[in-house]
């Protein structure tokens, strides 16, 4: 599973594709196949390399997951995936993650065979989604807070053996506050490794989120 397909420029796109080529060379048992590509939100710094990966004739991508926002900068490649599927050029499953589906899920953590398609003989990783696109303006937010795509980011928790990871995309303070409040009575935010939100920006991590996560390691 690949989470995110960002790149600063075409050189970085090539580096990501080369990374995947090297990875598959080490793992011939995977048949150059990605079970899923998950994009936290549709901004160009998260979607720049998407077409180069999904459209690569040497890589098979079985599923594509995003938050479903199709307008504005960064949506070109996500829309291209949808167009190629509609035209019959891609055999791929597409999922759009909305917050209302997350809230209806057990423990407010959404998972199924498309979200968590990975099964291993010796270890079964668990992939759960804790946040998605907010369909309506939340009552407790200002008018413009959720006009920002960042606040609709998919939040992904991965458990692998005894280790746990949290990917918050570019979620900013208004959405982070709601996420923390939602899970204050559970341990779903408590993880070992935190991919630092919003590229390390001041508004991508809060003291309350850190207190809920208690991470042993942070990666930027």
């Amino acid at each position: 599973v690949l989470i995110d397909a960002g790149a600063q420029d075409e050189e970085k796109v090539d580096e990501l594709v080369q990374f995947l080529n090297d990875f598959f060379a080490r793992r011939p048992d995977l048949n150059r196949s990605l079970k899923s590509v998950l994009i936290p939100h549709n901004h160009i710094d998260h979607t720049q390399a998407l077409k180069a990966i999904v459209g690569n004739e040497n890589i098979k991508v079985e599923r594509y997951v995003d938050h479903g926002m199709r307008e504005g900068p960064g949506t070109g490649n996500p829309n291209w995936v949808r167009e190629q599927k509609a035209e019959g050029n891609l055999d791929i499953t597409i999922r759009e993650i909305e917050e209302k589906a997350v809230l209806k899920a057990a423990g407010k953590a959404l998972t199924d065979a498309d979200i968590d398609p990975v099964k291993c003989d010796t270890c079964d990783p668990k992939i759960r989604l804790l946040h998605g696109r907010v369909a309506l303006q939340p009552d407790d937010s200002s008018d413009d807070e959720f006009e920002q795509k960042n606040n609709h980011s998919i939040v992904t928790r991965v458990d692998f053996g005894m280790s746990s990871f949290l990917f918050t995309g570019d979620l900013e303070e208004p959405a982070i506050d709601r996420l923390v409040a939602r899970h204050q009575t559970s341990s779903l935010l408590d993880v070992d490794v935190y991919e630092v939100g919003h590229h390390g920006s001041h508004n991508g991590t809060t003291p309350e989120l850190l207190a809920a996560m208690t991470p042993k390691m942070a990666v930027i």
Side-chain angles (χ1 to χ4, degrees), residues 28-184:
D29 57 303
L30 298 179
N31 299 314
R32 302 190 63 83
S33 176
L34 287 167
K35 290 291 185 183
S36 179
V37 172
L38 187 152
I39 303 296
H41 69 288
N42 292 334
H43 273 158
I44 192 65
D45 54 340
H46 297 263
T47 64
Q48 178 87 6
L50 181 61
K51 184 176 180 179
I53 294 168
V54 177
N56 192 309
E57 61 181 14
N58 295 316
I59 299 174
K60 168 63 178 176
V61 179
E62 297 180 13
R63 297 165 184 81
Y64 172 67
V65 181
D66 70 11
H67 65 183
M69 300 184 81
R70 305 185 193 181
E71 297 181 355
T75 58
N77 284 342
N79 288 337
W80 175 86
V81 174
R82 291 174 168 84
E83 291 164 1
Q84 292 299 302
K85 177 180 173 61
E87 294 171 5
N89 299 324
L90 277 179
D91 179 17
I92 191 170
T93 297
I94 297 177
R95 286 287 299 275
E96 297 180 359
I97 305 303
E98 297 184 29
E99 185 184 48
K100 62 183 181 181
V102 174
L103 295 177
K104 290 179 181 178
K108 298 177 181 178
L110 182 64
T111 189
D112 55 35
D114 287 327
I115 292 168
D116 182 5
V118 181
K119 304 296 180 187
C120 304
D121 293 335
T122 57
C123 177
D124 184 12
K126 291 181 173 57
I127 302 174
R128 289 174 282 184
L129 306 183
L130 309 184
H131 190 269
R133 184 177 86 244
V134 181
L136 300 174
Q137 185 76 19
D139 294 335
D140 57 352
S141 66
S142 65
D143 291 341
D144 60 350
E145 286 175 341
F146 283 82
E147 290 180 4
Q148 171 59 262
K149 287 181 191 174
N150 290 351
N151 283 324
H152 298 264
S153 292
I154 295 173
V155 174
T156 306
R157 177 188 172 109
V158 178
D159 289 271
F160 189 86
M162 296 297 290
S163 300
S164 51
F165 307 79
L166 192 70
F167 305 84
T168 60
D170 283 2
L171 216 64
E172 297 180 9
E173 289 179 29
I176 291 172
D177 291 344
R178 298 172 76 243
L179 179 72
V180 171
R182 182 182 304 161
H183 293 290
Q184 61 184 343

